[in-house]
């Protein structure tokens, strides 16, 4: 055991003295030390129940013969951070989480880890840390929120965001808006649609790093406590068998995750996080791979915001493993990949049947023959851009219209609220990329306003920033290179015609090559005065096409 180098023998008596200061007995000190990384706090709804999950993990570890020791990880609530400068600090916490976890584990010599994340950046940040540290590790999340209910229909966080647009358009009263406010998010947990948090927790199952149900068992169900106990026990079996993250997170495992991503219709943020996690594993995933996988992977689920079903219904239908079982019928998965159970993907999913064909379409009858996410390229995004194809209305899959250009999210939001965006327009928001933002803000407020005001069937939005998993519509993010790095999006002018063709994976600025070359020759990207962590981050971060990793 690695911890023996800190605690065994006479020379380590000073270390043992400090363990005793923690109240650990001789018996506990001799056992494997299992770190439990808790992202509990009292400001993120998806994390307010994690203290209970952590206690259950502690019990599972102890029952299996380990000594559980808890330490923290930070978490930002993307919903609360949305629409103001706080969103600049969301994506960048992914690296803080990975770095601080690496520091804590290497400083204290843990033998194994159980990661307890839930919301958007904690899951990928801790997966990145798991890859770096490469000691036996299991993930168990805090679980998804239950859907809300208004007027007999289920609701989620995107519902309240779009209700603001409806109110601004005079479609609902202030009283109805308040009802949405009070009923949209009824329990603790990660917001109830297939947003980024739930996407990443589901993909953790697909990668093999979480147990069955990690992505789908609701936060308020007692089964979530049982899952946490089993996670604590599972990590002790991994330690016994010396199964490590890099044994699990192979190239084939990332192909599995991308395949499940396409079938589920996950958040576009997965196209940032999976490449970043893979990078920590020594594996490079480019956006072209995503399109190749999407071409052969049917989209089987239309979970909110793409449809009217929610994570709780996916769980009842058999969860992620049932989706994977459907995919395996056409040999779309690498079923020999190892998992935290000590069994292969194929062994894990073989008896997990699809219990509701309205929630998980049979593979013979998908929503579409191609996956839920598409990568678009063209002169406007030579390095790529990303759209959640499964959440785009059919009439917006191909669109051409005049650019309405804004230098930041706030300016675009003000124009949308003031009724200045008209049917046919293409809203362009730039200088919101990883470097230019900095921090690559999510754009849920402007996209929700467009939908709420009834413009979703006629207006597109493109940005070098990114979108919340709650975003739906013809919203294209991650445009690379970004404006701050000299990308073409920085020279788009008001009224330029932009052509979007999602079936053909293209995004084009309709000007001549000569005109584009002349604009680029004279282009000097705008800069911002920065300080603190934002300044350091902007100086190190790569493009969205590379997963916004720090170089």
């Amino acid at each position: 055991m690695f911890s023996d180098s800190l605690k065994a023998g006479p020379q380590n008596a000073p270390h043992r003295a400090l363990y005793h200061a923690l109240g650990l007995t001789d018996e506990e000190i001799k056992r494997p030390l299992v770190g439990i990384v808790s992202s509990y706090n009292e400001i993120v709804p998806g994390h307010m129940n994690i203290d209970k999950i952590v206690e259950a993990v502690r019990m599972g570890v102890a029952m299996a013969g380990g000594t559980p020791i808890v330490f923290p990880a930070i978490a930002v609530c993307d919903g609360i951070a949305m629409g103001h400068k706080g969103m600049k600090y969301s994506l960048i916490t992914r690296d803080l989480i990975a770095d601080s976890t690496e520091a804590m584990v290497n400083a204290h010599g843990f033998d194994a880890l159980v990661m307890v994340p839930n919301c958007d950046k904690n899951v990928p940040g801790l997966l990145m840390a798991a890859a770096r540290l490469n000691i036996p590790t299991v993930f168990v999340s805090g679980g998804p929120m239950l859907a809300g209910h208004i007027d007999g229909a289920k609701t989620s966080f995107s519902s309240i965001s779009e209700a603001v647009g409806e109110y601004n358009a005079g479609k609902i009263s202030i009283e109805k808006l308040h009802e949405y406010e009070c009923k949209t998010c009824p329990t603790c947990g990660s917001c109830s649609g297939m947003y980024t948090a739930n996407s990443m927790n589901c993909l953790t199952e697909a990668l093999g790093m979480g147990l069955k149900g990690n992505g789908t068992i609701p936060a308020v169900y007692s089964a979530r406590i049982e899952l946490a106990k089993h996670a604590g026990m599972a990590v002790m079996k991994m330690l016994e068998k010396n199964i490590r993250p890099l044994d699990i997170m192979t190239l084939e495992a990332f192909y599995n995750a991308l395949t499940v991503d396409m079938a589920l219709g996950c958040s576009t943020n997965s196209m940032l996080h999976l490449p970043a996690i893979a990078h920590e594993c020594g594996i490079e995933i480019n956006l072209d791979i995503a399109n190749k996988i999407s071409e052969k992977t049917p989209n089987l689920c239309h979970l909110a915001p793409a449809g009217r079903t929610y994570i709780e219904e996916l769980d009842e239908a058999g969860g992620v493993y049932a989706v994977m079982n459907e995919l395996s019928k056409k040999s779309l998965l690498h079923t020999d990949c190892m998992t935290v159970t000590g069994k292969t993907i194929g062994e894990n999913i073989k008896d997990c049947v699809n219990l509701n064909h309205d929630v998980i379409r049979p593979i013979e009858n998908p929503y579409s023959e191609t996956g839920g996410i598409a990568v678009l390229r063209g002169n406007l995004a030579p390095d790529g851009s990303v759209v959640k194809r499964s959440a785009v209305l059919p009439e917006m899959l191909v669109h051409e219209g005049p650019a309405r250009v804004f230098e930041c999210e706030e300016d675009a939001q003000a124009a949308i609220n003031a009724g200045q965006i008209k049917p046919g327009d293409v809203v362009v928001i730039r200088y919101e990329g990883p470097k230019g933002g900095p921090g690559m803000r999510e754009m849920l407020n402007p996209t929700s306003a467009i939908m709420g005001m009834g413009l979703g069937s006629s207006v597109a939005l493109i940005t070098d920033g990114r979108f919340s998993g709650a975003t739906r519509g013809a919203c294209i993010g991650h445009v690379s290179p970004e404006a701050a790095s000299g990308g073409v999006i920085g020279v788009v002018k008001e009224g330029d015609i932009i052509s979007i063709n999602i079936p053909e994976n293209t995004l084009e600025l309709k000007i001549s090559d000569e005109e584009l070359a002349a604009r680029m020759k004279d282009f000097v990207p705008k800069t911002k005065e920065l300080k603190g962590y934002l300044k350091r981050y902007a100086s190190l971060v790569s493009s969205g096409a590379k997963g916004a990793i720090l170089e």
Side-chain angles (χ1 to χ4, degrees):
M1 293 188 299
F2 178 54
S3 64
D4 283 345
S5 64
L6 281 76
K7 64 188 186 184
Q11 72 278 7
N12 283 321
H15 293 155
R16 292 195 297 275
L18 293 172
Y19 290 137
H20 284 299
L22 293 170
L24 297 181
T25 64
D26 287 334
E27 293 82 0
E28 288 174 304
I29 295 170
K30 290 176 182 178
R31 294 174 180 172
L33 301 184
V34 179
I36 303 174
V37 186
S38 170
S39 55
Y40 167 79
N41 64 43
E42 295 182 345
I43 189 60
V44 183
H47 291 235
M48 62 181 286
N49 66 317
I50 280 179
D51 56 341
K52 296 176 176 60
I53 305 298
V54 166
E55 285 306 308
V57 172
R58 287 171 64 99
M59 185 173 290
V61 169
M63 285 193 298
T67 298
I69 301 175
V70 180
F71 65 89
I74 63 170
V76 165
C77 176
D78 279 22
I80 294 174
M82 194 74 65
H84 58 93
K85 70 177 182 179
M87 182 47 70
K88 295 179 185 290
Y89 290 89
S90 174
L91 178 60
I92 69 178
T93 63
R94 187 183 70 182
D95 296 278
L96 286 175
I97 291 162
D99 292 348
S100 59
T101 303
E102 175 192 351
M104 286 294 290
V105 172
N106 283 331
H108 300 105
F110 291 104
D111 297 303
L113 295 168
V114 180
M115 306 291 201
V116 191
N118 208 26
C119 289
D120 298 34
K121 309 311 164 302
N122 295 79
V123 185
L126 290 177
L127 282 165
M128 290 163 67
R132 289 183 198 174
L133 294 161
N134 200 33
I135 60 176
T137 303
V138 174
F139 277 68
V140 56
S141 75
M145 184 184 291
L146 293 178
H149 293 81
I150 295 178
D151 298 331
K154 288 187 174 182
T155 62
S156 59
F157 186 69
S158 55
S159 305
I160 178 62
S161 299
E162 292 182 15
V164 173
E166 293 181 47
Y167 171 73
N168 288 335
K171 295 182 177 182
I172 62 172
S173 66
I174 191 67
E175 290 78 16
K176 176 58 72 171
L177 180 62
H178 186 255
E179 183 181 358
Y180 273 94
E181 178 184 331
C182 294
K183 295 182 178 179
T184 292
C185 300
T187 73
C188 63
S190 50
C191 295
S192 56
M194 187 53 81
Y195 308 150
T196 306
N198 292 327
S199 294
M200 294 310 302
N201 283 320
C202 287
L203 295 181
T204 299
E205 287 190 56
L207 274 173
M209 291 296 292
L211 299 176
K212 181 179 184 292
N214 177 65
T216 59
I217 297 172
V220 295
Y221 283 13
S222 297
R224 174 66 52 181
I225 301 296
E226 295 180 37
L227 181 71
K229 292 175 184 176
H230 284 133
M233 290 184 273
V235 81
M236 295 304 296
K237 291 181 180 178
M238 290 180 70
L239 183 61
E240 178 185 344
K241 296 179 179 181
N242 195 30
I243 299 173
R244 298 168 181 256
L246 295 185
D247 300 323
I248 296 170
M249 292 192 286
T250 62
L251 177 61
E252 291 76 18
F254 282 100
Y255 285 171
N256 283 345
L258 284 165
T259 300
V260 174
D261 188 335
M262 299 302 169
L264 286 173
C266 290
S267 165
T268 52
N269 283 313
S270 63
M271 293 296 101
L272 283 175
H273 299 321
L274 288 175
I277 298 161
H279 178 76
E280 296 290 348
C281 297
I283 298 167
E284 298 305 318
I285 293 178
N286 62 44
L287 295 181
D288 292 325
I289 292 173
N291 264 356
K292 289 178 182 177
I293 290 175
S294 181
E295 286 172 5
K296 63 181 181 180
T297 305
N299 178 226
L300 304 181
C301 299
H302 267 192
L303 297 149
R308 297 182 179 180
T309 52
Y310 294 80
I311 300 298
E312 63 202 66
E313 290 160 296
L314 177 60
D315 186 63
E316 293 166 3
V320 176
Y321 277 16
V323 174
M324 295 176 76
N325 197 346
E326 289 289 343
L327 294 168
S328 70
K329 293 175 183 178
K330 288 193 174 181
S331 300
L332 293 175
L333 296 175
H334 297 274
T335 54
D336 57 348
C337 289
M338 180 52 63
T339 73
V340 293
T341 66
K343 299 178 180 180
T344 65
I345 286 287
E347 291 172 309
N348 286 345
I349 68 174
K350 66 179 180 179
D351 297 321
C352 298
V353 298
N354 179 359
L355 301 175
N356 188 334
H357 291 186
D358 292 327
V359 177
I360 305 171
R361 288 278 186 93
I363 198 160
E364 300 83 8
N365 181 34
Y367 282 102
S368 66
E369 293 293 341
T370 53
I373 290 177
V375 175
L376 313 184
R377 291 183 185 270
N379 66 355
L380 190 48
D383 291 344
S385 61
V386 181
V387 63
K388 189 170 183 175
R389 172 167 44 196
S390 59
V392 178
L393 293 171
E395 58 267 38
M396 289 299 292
L397 290 170
V398 177
H399 179 77
E400 193 169 285
R404 302 298 310 281
V405 182
F406 303 95
E407 306 299 303
C408 64
E409 177 188 0
E410 288 84 353
D411 290 351
Q413 185 71 49
I416 296 167
N417 291 345
Q420 295 172 7
I421 303 303
K422 305 301 180 185
D425 286 348
V426 178
V427 176
V428 177
I429 306 176
R430 60 194 181 195
Y431 292 102
E432 291 287 8
K435 188 180 296 291
M440 206 177 186
R441 287 197 287 181
E442 291 184 343
M443 305 285 176
L444 179 59
N445 287 353
T447 59
S448 296
I450 287 169
M451 298 302 295
M453 296 178 79
L455 296 170
S457 61
S458 60
V459 170
L461 189 152
I462 70 170
T463 180
D464 51 10
R466 60 194 180 95
F467 299 116
S468 165
T471 287
R472 63 190 178 106
C475 303
I476 300 161
H478 309 196
V479 171
S480 300
E482 62 177 292
S485 295
V488 172
I489 191 172
V491 300
V492 176
K493 294 182 179 180
E494 189 82 7
D496 281 347
I497 301 300
I498 292 176
S499 175
I500 300 164
N501 192 318
I502 295 172
E504 294 187 5
N505 300 319
T506 60
L507 179 62
E508 294 283 342
L509 177 62
K510 304 292 282 188
I511 61 174
S512 69
D513 292 344
E514 293 77 13
E515 171 66 14
L516 179 57
R519 290 189 193 182
M520 294 300 291
K521 182 179 179 181
D522 297 331
F523 178 41
V524 178
K526 296 180 180 179
T527 58
K528 297 177 181 178
E529 289 293 327
L530 301 171
K531 61 181 180 180
Y533 185 44
L534 289 179
K535 183 176 182 178
R536 296 198 301 276
Y537 183 86
S539 69
L540 296 171
V541 70
S542 71
S543 77
K546 292 184 176 181
I549 60 172
L550 299 186
E551 295 181 322

